[in-house]
Amino acid sequence: MTNNMDQRFSGLEQSMNESIAHLERAVAVEDGTGRWTRDFSSFRAGMAGLIAVQAGIFSGETVDAQQLIDFRAGVVKLLRRNEDNLRSYLCHALDSALASAEYGWYEPSMYRSVIQILMDEYPGGAAIFEDEDRESVDKIDEFMRARGPLTEAIPEEQIPRWVPESHWWWRHASWVPGE
């Protein structure tokens, strides 16, 4: 017997729903003692969900255009409520770029792509990044360019198919678009 709930959503719809659910769980809440708590692991899962959504769109999965617009607006709204988690995410991205020579290039590339997808594909997404956040993104790029020559390149067949050429970090820091 199959579960009708599983059949109701496509993979793309499920990824959208899960991403929103994680980002909602991540929002800081007052715990009743005057302390605020936040759930960074749910935030990271929600951000990873954005990659799943991007991959689903790239693979040709479809959803209602309004549903995608609403999803993206909902993500931006939730990110505004998750400012501390967003800053922590940027710090983790920076740490990952710094450690890339030791731990590899895949994780910092994934972090950087999530950030760029938010800026490029989500209306209002670039605006959630304040000046300090943009400086962090510039530092991430700077570290990735500096560390790129020190790391092993990701083999082309391991780069996700949805990655656009403009995401230079996947093809190593020494790669320049158009070369």
Side-chain angles (χ1 to χ4, degrees), residues 100-153:
S100 61
E102 187 175 347
Y103 296 108
W105 200 249
Y106 194 89
E107 184 176 288
S109 294
M110 192 63 76
Y111 272 113
R112 186 60 183 86
S113 282
V114 170
I115 294 164
Q116 196 64 47
I117 287 167
L118 280 170
M119 291 178 167
D120 295 345
E121 303 291 331
Y122 287 68
I128 62 173
F129 294 95
E130 296 177 4
D131 290 342
E132 179 183 323
D133 302 328
R134 286 189 185 93
E135 288 174 16
S136 293
V137 173
D138 290 343
K139 270 198 188 317
I140 293 165
D141 288 350
E142 181 183 318
F143 285 129
M144 290 183 85
R145 282 190 178 94
R147 301 248 184 302
L150 306 173
T151 64
E152 189 175 323

Coordinates of all heavy atoms in Angstrom, one line a residue, residues 100-153:
S100 N 39.9 24.8 3.0 CA 39.8 24.1 1.8 C 41.0 23.3 1.4 O 41.0 22.3 0.8 CB 39.3 25.0 0.6 OG 40.3 26.0 0.4
A101 N 42.2 23.9 1.6 CA 43.4 23.2 1.3 C 43.6 21.9 2.0 O 44.1 20.9 1.5 CB 44.7 24.1 1.6
E102 N 43.0 21.8 3.2 CA 43.1 20.6 4.0 C 41.9 19.7 3.8 O 42.1 18.5 3.7 CB 43.2 21.0 5.5 CG 43.5 19.8 6.4 CD 43.7 20.2 7.8 OE1 43.8 21.4 8.1 OE2 43.6 19.3 8.7
Y103 N 40.7 20.2 3.7 CA 39.5 19.4 3.6 C 38.8 19.3 2.3 O 37.8 18.6 2.1 CB 38.5 19.9 4.7 CG 39.1 19.7 6.1 CD1 39.5 20.8 6.8 CD2 39.2 18.5 6.6 CE1 40.0 20.7 8.1 CE2 39.7 18.3 7.9 CZ 40.1 19.4 8.6 OH 40.6 19.2 9.9
G104 N 39.3 20.1 1.3 CA 38.8 20.0 0.0 C 37.9 21.2 -0.5 O 37.6 22.1 0.3
W105 N 37.6 21.1 -1.7 CA 37.0 22.3 -2.4 C 35.5 22.2 -2.5 O 34.8 23.2 -2.8 CB 37.6 22.3 -3.8 CG 37.5 23.6 -4.4 CD1 36.8 23.9 -5.5 CD2 38.2 24.9 -4.1 NE1 36.9 25.3 -5.9 CE2 37.8 25.9 -5.0 CE3 39.0 25.2 -3.0 CZ2 38.2 27.2 -4.9 CZ3 39.5 26.5 -3.0 CH2 39.1 27.5 -3.9
Y106 N 34.9 21.0 -2.4 CA 33.5 20.8 -2.6 C 32.6 21.6 -1.6 O 31.7 22.3 -2.1 CB 33.2 19.3 -2.5 CG 31.8 18.9 -3.1 CD1 31.7 18.6 -4.4 CD2 30.7 18.9 -2.3 CE1 30.4 18.3 -5.0 CE2 29.4 18.6 -2.8 CZ 29.3 18.3 -4.2 OH 28.1 18.0 -4.7
E107 N 32.9 21.5 -0.3 CA 32.0 22.1 0.7 C 32.0 23.7 0.5 O 31.0 24.3 0.5 CB 32.4 21.7 2.1 CG 31.5 22.4 3.1 CD 31.9 21.9 4.5 OE1 31.6 20.7 4.8 OE2 32.4 22.7 5.3
P108 N 33.2 24.3 0.4 CA 33.2 25.7 0.2 C 32.5 26.2 -1.1 O 31.8 27.2 -1.1 CB 34.7 26.2 0.2 CG 35.5 24.9 0.2 CD 34.6 23.8 0.5
S109 N 32.6 25.3 -2.1 CA 31.9 25.6 -3.4 C 30.4 25.6 -3.2 O 29.6 26.4 -3.7 CB 32.3 24.7 -4.5 OG 33.7 24.9 -4.8
M110 N 29.9 24.6 -2.4 CA 28.5 24.5 -2.2 C 28.0 25.7 -1.4 O 26.9 26.2 -1.7 CB 28.2 23.1 -1.4 CG 26.8 22.8 -1.4 SD 26.0 22.5 -3.0 CE 26.6 20.9 -3.3
Y111 N 28.7 26.0 -0.3 CA 28.3 27.2 0.5 C 28.2 28.4 -0.4 O 27.2 29.2 -0.4 CB 29.3 27.5 1.6 CG 29.1 26.8 2.9 CD1 30.1 25.9 3.3 CD2 28.1 27.1 3.7 CE1 29.9 25.2 4.6 CE2 27.9 26.5 5.0 CZ 28.8 25.6 5.4 OH 28.7 25.0 6.6
R112 N 29.2 28.6 -1.2 CA 29.3 29.8 -2.1 C 28.2 29.8 -3.1 O 27.6 30.9 -3.4 CB 30.7 29.9 -2.7 CG 30.9 31.2 -3.5 CD 30.8 32.4 -2.6 NE 30.9 33.6 -3.4 CZ 29.9 34.3 -4.0 NH1 28.7 33.8 -3.9 NH2 30.1 35.4 -4.7
S113 N 27.8 28.7 -3.6 CA 26.7 28.6 -4.6 C 25.4 28.9 -4.0 O 24.6 29.6 -4.6 CB 26.7 27.2 -5.3 OG 27.7 27.2 -6.3
V114 N 25.1 28.5 -2.8 CA 23.9 28.8 -2.1 C 23.8 30.3 -1.9 O 22.7 30.9 -2.2 CB 23.8 28.1 -0.7 CG1 22.6 28.6 0.1 CG2 23.7 26.6 -0.9
I115 N 24.8 30.9 -1.5 CA 24.8 32.4 -1.3 C 24.5 33.1 -2.7 O 23.7 34.0 -2.7 CB 26.2 32.9 -0.8 CG1 26.4 32.3 0.7 CG2 26.3 34.4 -0.8 CD1 27.8 32.4 1.2
Q116 N 25.2 32.6 -3.7 CA 25.0 33.3 -5.0 C 23.6 33.0 -5.6 O 23.0 33.9 -6.2 CB 26.0 32.8 -6.0 CG 26.1 33.6 -7.3 CD 26.6 35.0 -6.9 OE1 27.6 35.2 -6.1 NE2 25.9 36.1 -7.4
I117 N 23.1 31.8 -5.4 CA 21.7 31.5 -5.8 C 20.7 32.5 -5.1 O 19.8 33.0 -5.8 CB 21.3 30.0 -5.5 CG1 22.1 29.2 -6.5 CG2 19.8 29.8 -5.6 CD1 22.1 27.7 -6.2
L118 N 20.9 32.7 -3.8 CA 20.0 33.6 -3.1 C 20.1 35.0 -3.7 O 19.1 35.7 -3.9 CB 20.4 33.7 -1.6 CG 19.9 32.6 -0.8 CD1 20.6 32.7 0.6 CD2 18.4 32.6 -0.6
M119 N 21.3 35.4 -4.1 CA 21.5 36.8 -4.6 C 20.9 36.9 -6.0 O 20.3 37.9 -6.4 CB 23.0 37.1 -4.6 CG 23.6 37.3 -3.3 SD 25.3 37.7 -3.5 CE 25.7 38.3 -1.8
D120 N 21.0 35.8 -6.8 CA 20.6 35.9 -8.2 C 19.2 35.5 -8.5 O 18.5 36.0 -9.4 CB 21.6 35.0 -9.1 CG 23.0 35.5 -9.1 OD1 23.2 36.7 -8.7 OD2 23.9 34.7 -9.5
E121 N 18.7 34.5 -7.8 CA 17.4 33.8 -8.2 C 16.2 34.2 -7.3 O 15.1 33.9 -7.6 CB 17.6 32.3 -8.1 CG 18.7 31.8 -9.0 CD 18.4 31.9 -10.5 OE1 17.2 31.9 -10.9 OE2 19.4 32.0 -11.3
Y122 N 16.5 34.8 -6.1 CA 15.4 35.1 -5.2 C 15.2 36.6 -5.1 O 16.1 37.3 -4.6 CB 15.8 34.5 -3.8 CG 15.7 33.0 -3.7 CD1 16.6 32.2 -4.5 CD2 14.7 32.4 -3.0 CE1 16.5 30.8 -4.5 CE2 14.6 31.0 -3.0 CZ 15.5 30.2 -3.7 OH 15.4 28.8 -3.7
P123 N 14.1 37.0 -5.6 CA 13.8 38.5 -5.6 C 13.9 39.0 -4.1 O 13.3 38.4 -3.2 CB 12.3 38.6 -6.1 CG 12.2 37.4 -7.0 CD 13.0 36.3 -6.3
G124 N 14.7 40.0 -3.9 CA 14.9 40.5 -2.6 C 16.1 39.8 -1.9 O 16.4 40.2 -0.8
G125 N 16.6 38.7 -2.5 CA 17.6 37.9 -1.8 C 18.9 38.7 -1.6 O 19.5 38.6 -0.6
A126 N 19.3 39.4 -2.6 CA 20.5 40.2 -2.5 C 20.4 41.3 -1.4 O 21.4 41.6 -0.7 CB 20.9 40.9 -3.8
A127 N 19.2 41.8 -1.2 CA 19.0 42.8 -0.2 C 19.0 42.3 1.2 O 19.2 43.1 2.2 CB 17.6 43.5 -0.4
I128 N 18.9 41.0 1.5 CA 19.0 40.5 2.8 C 20.5 40.6 3.3 O 20.7 40.5 4.5 CB 18.5 39.1 3.0 CG1 19.2 38.1 2.2 CG2 17.0 39.0 2.7 CD1 18.9 36.7 2.4
F129 N 21.4 40.7 2.4 CA 22.8 40.8 2.8 C 23.2 42.2 3.1 O 23.2 43.0 2.2 CB 23.7 40.2 1.7 CG 23.5 38.7 1.5 CD1 22.6 38.2 0.6 CD2 24.2 37.8 2.3 CE1 22.5 36.9 0.4 CE2 24.0 36.4 2.2 CZ 23.1 36.0 1.2
E130 N 23.4 42.5 4.3 CA 23.8 43.9 4.7 C 25.3 44.1 4.3 O 26.0 43.2 3.8 CB 23.7 44.1 6.2 CG 22.2 44.0 6.6 CD 22.0 44.1 8.1 OE1 23.0 44.3 8.8 OE2 20.8 43.9 8.5
D131 N 25.8 45.3 4.4 CA 27.1 45.7 4.0 C 28.2 44.7 4.6 O 29.1 44.2 3.9 CB 27.5 47.1 4.4 CG 26.7 48.1 3.5 OD1 26.2 47.7 2.4 OD2 26.6 49.3 3.9
E132 N 28.0 44.5 5.9 CA 28.9 43.6 6.6 C 28.9 42.1 6.0 O 29.9 41.5 5.8 CB 28.6 43.5 8.1 CG 29.4 42.6 8.9 CD 28.9 42.5 10.4 OE1 28.5 43.6 10.9 OE2 29.0 41.4 10.9
D133 N 27.7 41.7 5.6 CA 27.5 40.4 5.0 C 28.2 40.4 3.6 O 28.8 39.4 3.2 CB 26.0 40.1 4.8 CG 25.3 40.1 6.1 OD1 25.9 39.7 7.2 OD2 24.1 40.4 6.1
R134 N 28.0 41.4 2.8 CA 28.6 41.5 1.5 C 30.2 41.5 1.6 O 30.9 40.9 0.8 CB 28.2 42.7 0.8 CG 26.8 42.6 0.2 CD 26.4 43.8 -0.7 NE 25.0 43.6 -1.0 CZ 24.0 44.2 -0.4 NH1 24.2 45.0 0.7 NH2 22.8 44.1 -0.8
E135 N 30.7 42.1 2.7 CA 32.1 42.1 2.9 C 32.5 40.6 3.2 O 33.6 40.2 2.8 CB 32.5 43.0 4.1 CG 32.4 44.5 3.8 CD 32.6 45.4 4.9 OE1 33.1 44.9 6.0 OE2 32.2 46.6 4.8
S136 N 31.7 39.9 4.0 CA 32.0 38.5 4.2 C 32.1 37.7 2.9 O 32.9 36.8 2.8 CB 31.0 37.9 5.2 OG 31.1 38.5 6.5
V137 N 31.1 37.9 2.0 CA 31.1 37.2 0.8 C 32.3 37.6 0.0 O 33.0 36.7 -0.6 CB 29.8 37.6 0.0 CG1 29.8 37.0 -1.4 CG2 28.6 37.1 0.7
D138 N 32.7 38.9 0.0 CA 34.0 39.3 -0.7 C 35.2 38.5 -0.1 O 36.1 38.1 -0.9 CB 34.2 40.8 -0.7 CG 33.2 41.5 -1.5 OD1 32.5 40.9 -2.4 OD2 33.0 42.8 -1.3
K139 N 35.2 38.4 1.2 CA 36.3 37.7 1.9 C 36.3 36.2 1.5 O 37.4 35.6 1.3 CB 36.2 37.8 3.4 CG 36.9 39.0 4.0 CD 37.0 38.8 5.5 CE 37.6 39.9 6.2 NZ 38.6 40.7 5.7
I140 N 35.1 35.6 1.4 CA 35.0 34.2 1.0 C 35.7 34.1 -0.4 O 36.5 33.2 -0.6 CB 33.6 33.7 1.0 CG1 33.0 33.7 2.4 CG2 33.4 32.4 0.3 CD1 31.5 33.6 2.5
D141 N 35.3 35.0 -1.3 CA 35.8 34.9 -2.7 C 37.3 35.1 -2.7 O 38.1 34.4 -3.4 CB 35.2 36.0 -3.6 CG 33.7 35.6 -3.9 OD1 33.3 34.5 -3.7 OD2 33.0 36.5 -4.5
E142 N 37.8 36.0 -1.9 CA 39.2 36.3 -1.8 C 40.0 35.1 -1.3 O 41.0 34.7 -1.9 CB 39.4 37.5 -0.8 CG 40.8 37.9 -0.6 CD 40.9 39.0 0.5 OE1 40.0 40.0 0.4 OE2 41.8 39.0 1.3
F143 N 39.5 34.5 -0.2 CA 40.1 33.3 0.3 C 40.0 32.1 -0.7 O 41.0 31.3 -0.9 CB 39.5 32.8 1.6 CG 39.9 33.7 2.8 CD1 38.9 34.2 3.6 CD2 41.2 33.9 3.0 CE1 39.3 35.0 4.7 CE2 41.6 34.7 4.1 CZ 40.7 35.2 4.9
M144 N 38.9 32.0 -1.4 CA 38.8 30.9 -2.4 C 39.8 31.1 -3.6 O 40.4 30.2 -4.0 CB 37.4 30.8 -2.9 CG 36.5 30.2 -1.8 SD 34.8 29.9 -2.3 CE 35.0 28.3 -3.0
R145 N 40.0 32.4 -4.0 CA 41.0 32.6 -5.0 C 42.4 32.4 -4.5 O 43.2 31.8 -5.3 CB 40.8 34.1 -5.5 CG 39.7 34.3 -6.4 CD 39.7 35.7 -7.1 NE 38.6 35.8 -8.0 CZ 37.4 36.4 -7.6 NH1 37.2 36.9 -6.4 NH2 36.4 36.5 -8.5
A146 N 42.7 32.7 -3.3 CA 44.0 32.5 -2.7 C 44.3 31.0 -2.5 O 45.4 30.5 -2.7 CB 44.2 33.3 -1.4
R147 N 43.2 30.3 -2.0 CA 43.4 28.9 -1.7 C 43.3 27.9 -2.9 O 43.7 26.8 -2.8 CB 42.5 28.5 -0.6 CG 42.6 29.3 0.7 CD 43.1 28.5 1.8 NE 43.2 29.1 3.1 CZ 43.9 30.1 3.5 NH1 44.5 30.8 2.6 NH2 44.0 30.5 4.7
G148 N 42.6 28.4 -3.9 CA 42.3 27.5 -5.0 C 43.5 26.8 -5.6 O 43.5 25.6 -5.8
P149 N 44.6 27.5 -5.8 CA 45.8 26.9 -6.4 C 46.4 25.9 -5.4 O 47.2 25.1 -5.8 CB 46.8 28.1 -6.6 CG 45.9 29.3 -6.8 CD 44.7 29.0 -5.8
L150 N 46.0 25.9 -4.1 CA 46.6 25.0 -3.2 C 45.8 23.7 -3.0 O 46.2 22.8 -2.2 CB 46.7 25.7 -1.8 CG 47.5 27.0 -1.7 CD1 47.3 27.7 -0.4 CD2 48.9 26.8 -2.1
T151 N 44.6 23.7 -3.7 CA 43.7 22.5 -3.5 C 43.6 21.7 -4.8 O 43.9 22.2 -5.9 CB 42.3 23.0 -3.1 OG1 41.8 23.8 -4.1 CG2 42.4 23.8 -1.8
E152 N 43.2 20.5 -4.6 CA 42.9 19.7 -5.8 C 41.6 20.1 -6.4 O 40.6 20.3 -5.7 CB 42.9 18.2 -5.4 CG 42.9 17.3 -6.5 CD 43.0 15.8 -6.0 OE1 43.7 15.6 -5.0 OE2 42.3 15.0 -6.6
A153 N 41.6 20.3 -7.7 CA 40.4 20.7 -8.4 C 39.4 19.6 -8.3 O 39.7 18.4 -8.2 CB 40.7 21.0 -9.9

